[in-house]
Structure formats: structure tokens, C-alpha cells
Amino acid sequence: MSLNLSTKIRAVALVGHGAVGKTTLVESLLAATGAIASRGAVEKGNTVCDFDPVEKQLGFSLQSSLVSLNTADTLIHLIDTPGYPDFAGQTIGALAAVDTALIVISAQTGIELTAERMFDLAGERGLCRMIVINKIDAENIDLNALVDQVRERFGKQCLLLDLPTQHGQDVVELLGHDDGESDFASVAAAHRALIDQLVEEDDDLMARYLEDGTDPSPQELHAPFEKALREGHLIPILFVSAKTGAGVPQLLDALAKLAPNPAEGNPPPFYKGEPGAEPQAFAAQPDDALHVLAHVFKIVVDPFIGKVGVFRVHQGTIRKEGQLFAGSAKRPFKVAHLYRLQGKEYVEVPALVPGDIGAVAKVDEIDFDCVLHDSHDEDDIHLKPLVFPQPMQGLAVQTKRKGDEQRLFEILHKLELEDPCFTVERHPGTNETIIRGLGDMHLRSKMLRMQQQFKLELDTSVPQIAYRETILGKAEGHCRHKKQSGGAGQFGEVMLRVEPLARGAGFEFVDIVKGGAIPGVFMAAVEKGVQQALAEGAVGGFPLHDLRVIVHDGKTHAVDGKEVAFVAAARKATLEAVRAANPIVLEPLVNIEVVAPESAIGDLTGDLASKRGHITGTQPRPAGTVAISGQMPLAELGDYQSRLKSLTGGQGSYSLAFSHYAQVSADTQAKLAAAFKPANLGDD
């Protein structure tokens, strides 16, 4: 087994809320190791990670960006991620590629929404976590109170790994020091708390520690430290000033010496799942001599080199000129070029080993979340999928110039490939093309990119709300489709019933036909007809969800039995059954969090309540702001951005997350039904 190269690799994601200084911290880390000559600035638009023109214009990260640096004979892959909730898809995707998550918190603003969410998501993923408190040299901050806040929110296992000194101008490391000055707390006490926590991970070490009272050596503490990180018994807190460089050497030292390598972190959650079989856990080994296993966590559609798949290698060695399979594809593709990414630069390399993060270009077979491998033995291996927030904010778009429609769909497809939280819908009934994202800022950035990069001018409008339909009762449906117009005819008869499922369960198709009443060769046509009916809807023309369709009988004809007949019969039988099963319309409800000045809390809560909103809590935030949490129908949020701007003088912001679907009022359902022209169930 060969692990020599992989033991010298670290994969780390920087996560946290917007404007806490993640991109600036990456610049400081790169400059400190000589990877760049001098640190860039977000304000100047010359950082390595924020290289996209729209990022430079807006002044914050829109996508995850990769860089690598070398320190202490260790290669560290860093992924800088966006902080605002609208761009959570890029941040969540990065969690599948790393062993360690650095949760970056600003000393000025404290723990914010994205920091909390990413801390929890990283823990659920089994990642080792470290907390980095940035901007320790800022004015009017209370680091002692912030540490208390961190422990209250994230747990007592959050222990200091270093302490700021000289008013945030330097940092004293605690694992190897038990004396010295700090801006708050006792160096000796913090050192002792850290050692006490670590020795508890090793019974023999603890016995010797209690017996002779001397600190174990750094070499003896390495294994307990890794174990404590893996199991969440220790979450180190480190302090930095990304702008002055204070604490950056100590952070680099911690990443090189204490962060886990691919063999030390918790194993990635691979599983083997052949079609129809029960999934079985699969243990990938960070051994460069085994078959290749790599996971694609990011897709980039580069205007110059085309579609790029960015992946983390978990097992084996990927070599230039080698061959790989993407997912369950039967034909391999050739790795013509193999890259590491350094911001916008593609650095060609001959090989990548476990723990490495790299990319291949111009391979159409590669999709987001697919597994790359070099043997058909791994055809059915997958990585446990990440859970992404559902894109709910919508915008209807159409081209300003006639003839650009095809270009629009091609561009939207590229944007959809890159972002798991950006979707495109086409509604034939309303002739609308709707883009959906996680918020107004998310959609605005896509519009800017289409305008600047692709030179595409669009008109926008408020789209129809993504209503759904379901049923409350059970009912039977039956249709005999028969056509005879000279020559061969059409015949297909379907009998089925529908019944409701739990909210969010989706759709089940069940075939219990006995005796070949409907030949198996036609069952796919029956299911197709059922799906067509579910897409049409029965009350307001919205897709049907959360129901089971059970096909129990039918008839065919030896000559006239045809697929088209069974599609039509199944569609009509399904619509007949649904209309008799007490169908209802559902509307999406979203969780909303508004951050605004405390002075506006009364106006904001009143506004939300007037729009059928339900306030679930308020939480004080630093700098005289407050976070208001609530739940409300998405239909009431069409003009919320302008309302919020008016109520807060432009100082408020909000984020949305899909919650669930709930039944609309009887009045709303009646209006939606009146505007809908239902399908005719007569013969086609």
C-alpha cells in the first residue's frame, strides 16, 4: 500500500457568511507561502479566487474557487466558497471534496446564518471542523464574549488552539506554550484545557499524564488530536487578521500538522448500489495503487475550454493519457489533459493521487455528482448525495431580440450545469421560461452574467407561482381507448385507482395486473400516460404529487393493441380518478430570515404578518441589528425586495429556504380553477 504522497495532502474548505474575509484570508495564506508575490484585495478586484467579472463588479464571491499552496512539505488544497445564502449550492458542493471545514467568523459581526448552517452540514458530513475568528485587530470588538457565544452555539468542545496578543497584532500558539500574554483569557489555563481534552482520547497517554504530570510531546498528541477532530470531541478555535497577516503562520502550521490527511479523516460515504438491489456501504481506500475512484463536485462551463469537471480523487491514481468511465457509462473517455486549478488558471499536471483535487476538460459525459473510475467493477458506486436547498425564487425571462430564443436555452443549460441550485422551467401553457434560484441576489447574478459574458439581453417578469396539486381521497378510473379509421386500429383499456401519499412522498406507480390482461410490453406506455396526466393537473393545471397510482386491470386486442392506445387510456383514466379523489392545490411555503436594524423590527414583523407570514423568532445580532425568522407563502414575496428596502432604508437583507407545501385557501383554489381550461376526456 502506497500512501507516501497522500499523507502530504490536505483538502480544506473555507465556509462562513458573506463579508467575513474568506477570500482575503486565502490571499494571505497564498502570500505567506510564496504562491503569490503580494496579497490582492477584494475591493481592487485583483484576488486569485474572485476572478469572475461579475464577482469583481458585485464585490463578493459567487462560486467556489480552488487554489493550492505548499507549506512545511505539505500540499494544501483550499476551496474558497461564497458566503451569502443565495449561493449555498456552490458552498455545499465543496463539502464533498474536503476532509476539513474552516468555519470563518468575523470578530465584528459574530456568528451569522451561513456559519451556523455550514457548521451543522459539515458535522453531518463527518468532516473535521475548525473555527477561525477573523478581523481580530478591528475596533470595538469583544473576543472573550464571542468565544462564549461560539461555545454556547457550537458546544463546549470548541477549545482555543491559539490566542491573540498585542491587541490583535500577533497570536500565541497554545499546544506548545503554557505561558505568555494574551488579549484575553489565560494562556496557561487555555493550554491546560486543550491538553486535558486531548489526553482523554488515549487511555495509556492519560494514565502517564496523570502519573507524572508532564505534557505529552507533540508527536504523542498527534494521534489523539486527529481522533478528537474526527469524532467531534475537539473543534479548535484559531484567531487571525487576514489583512495584517496576524495568526496566518499559526493557521498554516495547524493545517499542515494537525488537519487530517486523506487516511486520517472520516472516510467518504461511498455506497455500492446496483439497480434494484439494497445499497451497501463501500470503503474507498486512499491508496494510489488501487482502482480509481473520484467524485465530481463542481462543473464549470469555461468560455474558452468548454465543459470542465472538477473532482476529488479518493482512491487510485489518475494519469494524463489514461482512460476513465463517468458513472455507469459503458465507454471510457481519454484524459487528454489533467489540471489543478489555481483560481482562473489551469495548471497541467501528469498525475493526481488520493486527496488531490483536479479537473478534466471537454468531456461531455461528466456531470455533477458523478463518480469517475477506471474499471467496470466500480460502475455502481456512488457517493452519498448532498442535500441542497430547493430553488424557489423565480423570474420569467424572454429575449429582447427575436431569433435569440435558441441561444437563451443553450446559455441557460450551461448555467444549470454549473449550479445545483439553479433550475430552468418551460411552461407550455403560459409560454413562460422561468429561472429559479435561492434568492433575488442569486438570479440577479445570473442575469448579469448572461448580459456581460454572453451578450444576451432579456426582459423579465414575475412568474407564476410553482403550485402543486394532490388528492385527499381514493378513487377509481377507467378508460377504453378505441379508434378505427380504416386499416389497423387502436385499442387499449386501463383500470386503475389512485390514493394519497404523505406530503413530500412524490409519486408511486404500482402494477398489480394479473393474467396478462395488459401485456408487460405495454406497461411502460401505461406509466407514460399516467405521468402525462400528473403533469397536466386536474384543478388548476399544476403538476400532481404525493399520490400512488395502482393499475389493476385492463384489456388489449391481438391486432389493434398499441402503445399509443395505452398511453391515451392511462392518461384519461388517471385524470378521471384524480378528479373524483378530492383534488386540492398546494402552495410553497418558505422559511425566511430577515436581518435589519433593530429600529425596523416593528415595521418588518407587521409587514410579514400582513402577508400571511408567521413569525417564529427574533435574535439579536451584533452592531445594532436583529434577525427575524418566520414562515410565509412564496406567493407573497414577489415584491419583497422593494418592500424591505423601503422599510429599512436599504439596510435590510433576507434569505429564503424552502419549507414545505401546504393547502391553499378555498378562495384561492376557486380562482386558480376558474382560470384553468381542463383537458377534454373525450376520445382524441
Side-chain angles (χ1 to χ4, degrees):
M1 186 173 185
S2 174
L3 289 173
N4 292 335
L5 293 174
S6 293
T7 56
K8 298 295 185 180
I9 294 176
R10 309 288 182 268
V12 180
L14 282 75
V15 300
H17 205 75
V20 298
K22 299 184 298 297
T23 301
T24 304
L25 180 55
V26 172
E27 289 290 305
S28 291
L29 293 167
L30 290 170
T33 56
I36 56 177
S38 60
R39 190 183 67 234
V42 173
E43 299 80 11
K44 295 180 180 178
N46 61 349
T47 63
V48 175
C49 291
D50 284 359
F51 55 84
D52 184 270
V54 179
E55 288 178 319
K56 294 180 181 182
Q57 178 179 338
L58 297 177
F60 52 80
S61 301
L62 302 176
Q63 57 189 352
S64 60
S65 185
L66 287 87
V67 297
S68 301
L69 55 86
N70 286 279
T71 183
D73 196 28
T74 303
L75 173 65
I76 301 177
H77 296 294
L78 294 175
I79 305 181
D80 179 28
T81 67
Y84 291 110
D86 285 38
F87 310 101
Q90 292 283 314
T91 306
I92 294 171
L95 297 181
V98 299
D99 303 302
T100 303
L102 293 187
I103 295 92
V104 184
I105 297 170
S106 167
Q108 294 175 301
T109 55
I111 301 171
E112 297 178 272
L113 177 65
T114 302
E116 294 187 61
R117 288 181 177 173
M118 292 306 150
F119 180 90
D120 293 338
L121 286 173
E124 292 168 9
R125 197 71 184 178
L127 301 182
C128 299
R129 292 167 290 178
M130 297 183 181
I131 293 170
V132 177
I133 297 177
N134 188 24
K135 305 185 182 181
I136 60 172
D137 57 333
E139 298 288 337
N140 302 317
I141 59 174
D142 189 343
L143 294 176
N144 198 10
L146 179 53
V147 170
D148 289 341
Q149 184 188 13
V150 166
R151 287 174 174 157
E152 180 181 349
R153 169 60 186 87
F154 299 141
K156 294 181 180 179
Q157 68 273 30
C158 297
L159 295 178
L160 301 168
L161 194 60
D162 55 36
L163 274 168
T165 184
Q166 301 174 34
H167 304 291
Q169 299 305 306
D170 201 0
V171 163
V172 56
E173 186 270 332
L174 294 174
L175 198 59
H177 296 84
D178 61 0
D179 60 1
E181 298 294 327
S182 78
D183 292 343
F184 74 94
S186 161
V187 171
H191 168 83
R192 189 58 47 213
L194 184 61
I195 298 298
D196 288 348
Q197 179 68 32
L198 291 176
V199 296
E200 287 184 5
E201 302 294 328
D202 187 313
D203 291 340
D204 293 339
L205 197 63
M206 185 173 182
R208 279 189 283 131
Y209 175 65
L210 293 174
E211 183 177 337
D212 57 32
T214 59
D215 290 349
S217 68
Q219 291 75 21
E220 290 176 308
L221 288 172
H222 181 82
F225 195 101
E226 298 297 344
K227 182 182 177 186
L229 275 180
R230 277 197 310 273
E231 298 180 0
H233 298 164
L234 171 64
I235 299 170
I237 302 174
L238 300 101
F239 296 86
V240 300
S241 169
K243 285 201 171 181
T244 67
V248 168
Q250 290 84 352
L251 176 58
L252 282 169
D253 199 51
L255 293 177
K257 297 179 180 178
L258 301 175
N261 64 44
E264 292 170 328
N266 287 316
F270 280 104
Y271 67 93
K272 189 175 181 68
E274 298 179 6
E278 188 72 20
Q280 301 291 326
F282 181 87
Q285 302 293 328
D287 184 341
D288 57 15
L290 297 179
H291 285 171
V292 168
L293 273 183
H295 174 256
V296 178
F297 67 93
K298 179 179 173 67
I299 295 290
V300 178
V301 181
D302 189 281
F304 301 106
I305 65 174
K307 185 178 180 182
V308 178
V310 187
F311 55 83
R312 157 77 183 263
V313 183
H314 292 279
Q315 177 178 289
T317 301
I318 297 179
R319 292 183 172 85
K320 182 181 175 182
E321 302 298 332
Q323 289 191 332
L324 294 174
F325 298 95
S328 58
K330 299 305 177 186
R331 298 182 63 182
F333 65 88
K334 183 179 179 181
V335 183
H337 300 278
L338 192 59
Y339 303 101
R340 282 202 185 111
L341 300 183
Q342 194 73 354
K344 67 179 178 181
E345 303 297 330
Y346 290 81
V347 182
E348 196 152 1
V349 294
L352 297 171
V353 299
D356 263 326
I357 296 176
V360 291
K362 299 179 181 178
V363 181
D364 290 336
E365 296 89 342
I366 290 183
D367 292 312
F368 176 79
D369 202 34
C370 77
V371 171
L372 306 180
H373 52 99
D374 60 357
S375 164
H376 281 305
D377 293 344
E378 285 79 38
D379 278 353
D380 299 306
I381 292 177
H382 313 274
L383 192 65
K384 179 183 176 182
L386 294 157
V387 178
F388 292 94
Q390 187 170 343
M392 299 302 300
Q393 190 93 353
L395 198 62
V397 297
Q398 62 182 28
T399 58
K400 287 188 176 182
R401 292 192 301 266
K402 287 192 176 295
D404 276 351
E405 289 83 359
Q406 186 59 39
R407 278 193 69 227
L408 170 63
F409 294 126
E410 291 172 358
I411 292 166
L412 290 178
H413 177 63
K414 292 177 180 178
L415 298 180
E416 204 172 13
L417 287 174
E418 292 184 326
D419 192 337
C421 294
F422 177 76
T423 61
V424 181
E425 301 171 4
R426 178 68 180 166
H427 290 255
T430 60
N431 205 30
E432 283 186 322
T433 299
I434 299 173
I435 58 174
R436 294 199 183 276
L438 299 182
D440 179 73
M441 196 186 300
H442 191 193
L443 295 181
R444 194 152 37 91
S445 70
K446 301 295 184 187
M447 295 291 293
L448 275 172
R449 187 172 171 197
M450 284 190 277
Q451 180 184 6
Q452 293 185 5
Q453 180 178 327
F454 298 103
K455 312 301 180 188
L456 184 66
E457 297 291 335
L458 299 175
D459 288 322
T460 63
S461 58
V462 177
Q464 189 179 65
I465 296 298
Y467 292 107
R468 288 182 175 181
E469 296 180 17
T470 191
I471 56 174
L472 297 180
K474 300 179 181 180
E476 295 278 341
H478 166 238
C479 177
R480 173 182 291 178
H481 179 88
K482 184 177 181 181
K483 274 194 173 182
Q484 193 75 42
S485 56
Q490 299 176 7
F491 183 90
E493 186 171 356
V494 175
M495 290 175 246
L496 52 77
R497 61 177 175 268
V498 296
E499 55 189 45
L501 295 175
R503 197 78 79 240
F507 160 67
E508 288 184 19
F509 178 81
V510 181
D511 168 18
I512 58 171
V513 175
K514 304 294 184 184
I518 299 178
V521 69
F522 292 131
M523 196 51 66
V526 173
E527 184 172 3
K528 181 179 178 181
V530 170
Q531 294 279 17
Q532 286 181 1
L534 299 185
E536 290 176 27
V539 180
F542 308 109
L544 280 149
H545 292 260
D546 307 333
L547 75 164
R548 179 183 292 120
V549 178
I550 304 168
V551 182
H552 58 82
D553 204 356
K555 289 182 181 177
T556 187
H557 187 277
V559 177
D560 295 342
K562 290 185 175 59
E563 287 188 8
V564 65
F566 280 99
V567 170
R571 171 182 158 272
K572 295 170 188 174
T574 303
L575 288 172
E576 178 185 280
V578 165
R579 290 172 184 174
N582 194 7
I584 60 170
V585 177
L586 304 173
E587 66 176 339
L589 268 62
V590 295
N591 295 322
I592 183 170
E593 180 171 277
V594 183
V595 178
E598 289 179 343
S599 58
I601 186 171
D603 291 337
L604 290 170
T605 54
D607 178 72
L608 291 172
S610 72
K611 298 295 184 179
R612 298 191 287 146
H614 172 63
I615 307 300
T616 57
T618 58
Q619 184 177 356
R621 296 284 190 188
T625 60
V626 64
I628 304 169
S629 302
Q631 194 173 86
M632 65 189 304
L634 183 65
E636 302 288 354
L637 285 167
D639 61 344
Y640 191 69
Q641 184 72 33
S642 59
R643 299 208 313 269
L644 179 63
K645 184 177 181 180
S646 173
L647 292 170
T648 64
Q651 298 182 60
S653 63
Y654 74 101
S655 62
L656 302 178
F658 172 73
S659 175
H660 64 283
Y661 272 86
Q663 185 172 354
V664 301
S665 67
D667 288 346
T668 301
Q669 178 155 326
K671 290 177 183 176
L672 294 171
F676 174 54
K677 295 180 180 179
N680 184 359
L681 293 188
D683 281 343
D684 293 334

